[in-house]
Amino acid sequence: MTTAFLPPSCSSTSSCDSNSPVTDGFADVLVGLQYGDEGKAKIIDTLAPGYDVIARFNGGANAGHTIDTPQGRIALKQLPSGVFHPHAMLYIGSGCAINPWKLADEIEQLRQMGISLEGRLRISARAALVQPHHIAMDRRGSETIGTTGNGIGPCYADRALRVRNDTRVNLMLGDLLGNEADTVVAMREIFTRMINADGGTSPWVAEMSDLLLGLPGVAKQLRAYVEPDRAWLTTRVKAGAKVLFEGAQSVLLDVVDGSQPFVTSSHTVPAYAYVGGDLSPKYHRRTIGVAKAIMSRVGRGPFPSELGGERSAQYCHDASQSKTGKSEEASRFSPDKLLRSNDPFDVGTALRMLTGEYGTGTGRPRRIGMLDLAQLRDVIKMHAVDCVYLNKVDCLAHYLHSAYQGVPMRLHRDVVSGDVMPDILIYPGLTEQSLTLGREGKVDAVMNSFIDFIERHIGAPLAGLGLGPERASLVSLAEHSPKPVATLSPHD
C-alpha cells in the first residue's frame, strides 16, 4: 500500500500575522507587485520582530529601500531592511550582485548611527562581485533601458558568460576572501582591456582606477561578514528559524517575466527566493505582496495606467538625462495648480511633487500612474500571493482636490459579450475624514467599503494600509478577518 507524503503544514491563512502557530522553521517571501518603490522596506521593518532572519535574494546597489525610524532616515541599497532590529540576523544570498565599495560605505553609515552588524550580517561567498568594468559598461549603455548605472546588468551578464577572451570574468565575493591579490589583478586586467578597446577614451578611467586602489581596504572591512557555508541558512531553518525574504525591485521588472527589454537584470519573482536565497522551497509558508495606491515607474517601458501616457514617459526620460529632479520641479511648478488641471499629465506631475516620487538613489522623477487593479489581479494570481499591503493610501486624498473628484483606478470589467476590456473607474466613496481616522488607527465604514472594493478586484485580502511613511502609520487589518474573495460578476 502506498502512503501519500504530506508536508508538515499545507494551510494558508488570509492574514500575514507571522506569529501563527508553526513549530518548524519556515520562510515567507515579500515582494513588490508593481514596478518597484512600493514601500517594501517599511513593511519589512514592521514585520521584522516576528522573524529570526531577514534575507535578500536578488539585485544589488540598484535597489534603494528607504526606512524612517526613530534613529533617523536611511536609504539601504544592499543590506536587508531589518537592520534596526538587533534580534534579527541579516543574510545576503548568492543571487545578489555585491558592490563591495558601496556595501562597506553602507555598513559604516550604520555604524555612525550607532548600529553594529558584527555577528549579525552574513553574505554568501557565492554572491556575484560587481567590478569596475561593469559600472563603466552600464553607464555607457544605460540610456536605452533606463538603468541606474550601477553595473548590475553587466555583472549578471558576466556571471552567465563566465569567461571572456580566455579570462574569467565571473568573480564572486568569496574570491576576495580566498585570494584577494589575484582578484584585484584580474579586475584590473579586465578593465584595462576594456579601455584599450575604447582607444583609451573612457571618461571613467580615473574613477574606476581609484576603486581598484581602494579594494584591499574594502575587502578587509567585509571579510568578517563573508559566509562560505552554502547551508548556513538551511541549518538555521532546520533548527526552527523563521525567515523573511526581501525582494528587490518588483515582479513586473523580472528579467524573464517582465516586459523586455525594460526590466531589471535579476529574477524578482517570489519563487526565485529559494534559488538566490540559498534555501529549499520546501520551507516556503506564505507570499506577501506590497503595492502602492499612487503607482510609479522609473526608466522606460510599458505603464498602462500612466497619467499623461507617452508624454509623461518622455518627460521623465528627458528629465533623467538632464539631471532635473525634485528641486527643479519645485521651482518651476505649482502642484496645487497642476492638480486642478484637466490634463492627466499635469495631475501626474502634481502627484509626483506632492508625494515625493523621486528615485531613492538617483533623484530621478518617477512616472506616475493611477492604481491599476487589473494588473494587480493578474500578478497576484500568477504568483499565488496570499495577502497584500497597500501603501500610500493617504495620498489618494490629493485626487479629491483634482478634476477627477474621486480616485481613478484601472480595472478589467466583464461585459455581457464575455470580452474582458480595460476600463477606468472613478471611485467616489473615499473621504479625507476617513483617511484621517485611518491615520489614527481607526477603520470606519467608509474605509471598510474601500477595503472591500479593493479586495474584490484584486482577488486577495489586504493585510494592512500604509497611511504615511512612518512605522506608526501602518494600519494592520489582521483583526478584520478578511472574507473570502468572491469572483467578480459581469455586473460588478
Side-chain angles (χ1 to χ4, degrees):
M1 183 175 69
T2 303
T3 302
F5 171 79
L6 294 176
S9 174
C10 292
S11 63
S12 174
T13 65
S14 60
S15 163
C16 274
D17 178 11
S18 61
N19 296 315
S20 56
V22 177
T23 55
D24 297 329
F26 61 83
D28 292 342
V29 183
L30 184 145
V31 294
L33 301 178
Q34 296 160 326
Y35 299 103
D37 309 307
E38 297 96 343
K40 297 181 289 294
K42 181 177 74 173
I43 305 304
I44 291 166
D45 190 49
T46 300
L47 297 179
Y51 296 88
D52 304 299
V53 183
I54 312 297
R56 281 280 300 272
F57 63 86
N58 76 301
N62 56 341
H65 292 171
T66 303
I67 306 176
D68 289 282
T69 75
Q71 293 99 320
R73 167 176 284 198
I74 185 170
L76 300 173
K77 300 295 185 64
Q78 299 179 92
L79 290 169
S81 298
V83 293
F84 293 103
H85 297 272
H87 80 281
M89 293 291 293
L90 309 172
Y91 183 70
I92 301 178
S94 62
C96 296
I98 301 297
N99 181 315
W101 301 276
K102 290 194 172 186
L103 181 57
D105 287 345
E106 204 168 314
I107 292 171
E108 175 60 20
Q109 184 181 355
L110 284 169
R111 189 191 67 78
Q112 292 179 6
M113 294 176 69
I115 299 168
S116 173
L117 300 183
E118 295 293 335
R120 292 182 59 205
L121 173 64
R122 306 308 298 163
I123 312 168
S124 170
R126 292 177 173 266
L129 197 57
V130 174
Q131 304 169 55
H133 76 279
H134 294 147
I135 300 171
M137 289 172 66
D138 198 11
R139 291 181 182 176
R140 185 170 59 190
S142 63
E143 182 176 341
T144 301
I145 300 174
T147 71
T148 59
N150 279 291
I152 311 301
C155 177
Y156 281 123
D158 272 354
R159 166 172 274 188
L161 191 61
R162 294 155 288 164
V163 173
R164 186 193 302 125
N165 298 324
D166 297 323
T167 300
R168 180 187 170 200
V169 291
N170 173 33
L171 298 177
M172 299 183 291
L173 188 59
D175 292 318
L176 276 180
L177 184 69
N179 200 329
E180 179 184 307
D182 286 353
T183 301
V184 174
V185 169
M187 284 189 185
R188 189 178 298 278
E189 287 180 353
I190 297 167
F191 181 64
T192 300
R193 286 186 183 182
M194 190 192 82
I195 61 176
N196 287 341
D198 289 343
T201 59
S202 173
W204 303 291
V205 172
E207 182 184 351
M208 298 303 114
S209 296
D210 288 343
L211 289 180
L212 287 167
L213 286 173
L215 188 56
V218 167
K220 183 178 180 180
Q221 287 179 264
L222 298 181
R223 183 174 295 273
Y225 305 110
V226 178
E227 179 54 65
D229 182 5
R230 298 170 66 184
W232 183 88
L233 191 56
T234 300
T235 299
R236 274 147 186 78
V237 174
K238 283 184 175 180
K242 296 175 285 186
V243 178
L244 179 60
F245 279 116
E246 169 185 10
Q249 292 90 32
S250 292
V251 296
L252 292 176
L253 298 178
D254 184 85
V255 67
V256 172
D257 203 46
S259 299
Q260 286 287 343
F262 307 106
V263 294
T264 193
S265 46
S266 64
H267 289 287
T268 62
V269 296
Y272 190 72
Y274 298 98
V275 180
D278 311 314
L279 185 68
S280 168
K282 78 175 185 178
Y283 296 110
H284 179 70
R285 184 183 70 152
R286 177 177 294 127
T287 299
I288 304 167
V290 183
K292 63 181 176 181
I294 303 291
M295 288 184 64
S296 69
R297 177 165 190 168
V298 169
R300 293 183 177 272
F303 190 177
S305 70
E306 185 168 9
L307 292 165
E310 182 55 37
R311 283 175 59 206
S312 169
Q314 189 61 50
Y315 168 84
C316 290
H317 174 72
D318 293 343
S320 175
Q321 298 304 302
S322 62
K323 310 299 182 185
T324 299
K326 182 176 182 179
S327 59
E328 289 79 9
E329 289 198 331
S331 66
R332 293 170 56 193
F333 304 124
S334 165
D336 292 335
K337 182 178 179 180
L338 291 178
L339 194 63
R340 294 190 295 269
S341 169
N342 289 318
D343 187 343
F345 173 82
D346 290 340
V347 176
T349 302
L351 288 173
R352 175 169 54 250
M353 298 174 68
L354 292 167
T355 63
E357 285 290 344
Y358 299 88
T360 301
T362 63
R364 294 185 292 182
R366 296 171 181 160
R367 300 157 59 190
I368 303 298
M370 67 189 79
L371 181 57
D372 194 333
L373 301 182
Q375 189 181 69
L376 268 180
R377 189 177 184 90
D378 290 343
V379 169
I380 287 167
K381 181 179 179 181
M382 176 68 184
H383 300 290
V385 176
D386 293 296
C387 59
V388 176
Y389 286 89
L390 185 64
N391 280 322
K392 285 206 166 184
V393 174
D394 56 312
C395 295
L396 294 177
H398 295 303
Y399 278 122
L400 306 181
H401 302 284
S402 73
Y404 290 106
Q405 298 184 344
V407 180
M409 302 182 195
R410 180 176 177 268
L411 64 153
H412 282 312
R413 281 189 170 177
D414 293 331
V415 296
V416 176
S417 65
D419 295 326
V420 178
M421 53 190 297
D423 200 0
I424 305 299
L425 177 143
I426 307 298
Y427 185 85
L430 206 56
T431 66
E432 289 189 85
Q433 180 184 7
S434 182
L435 290 168
T436 299
L437 287 171
R439 281 190 286 271
E440 298 172 358
K442 303 171 185 175
V443 179
D444 63 2
V446 170
M447 185 62 75
N448 267 321
S449 295
F450 173 79
I451 292 167
D452 181 67
F453 177 85
I454 298 296
E455 289 180 340
R456 287 191 298 112
H457 280 274
I458 67 174
L462 293 178
L465 300 178
L467 295 167
E470 306 83 10
R471 280 184 186 176
S473 69
L474 183 66
V475 176
S476 172
L477 301 177
E479 67 272 21
H480 294 285
S481 301
K483 300 178 292 295
V485 179
T487 303
L488 291 176
S489 73
H491 305 291
D492 279 338

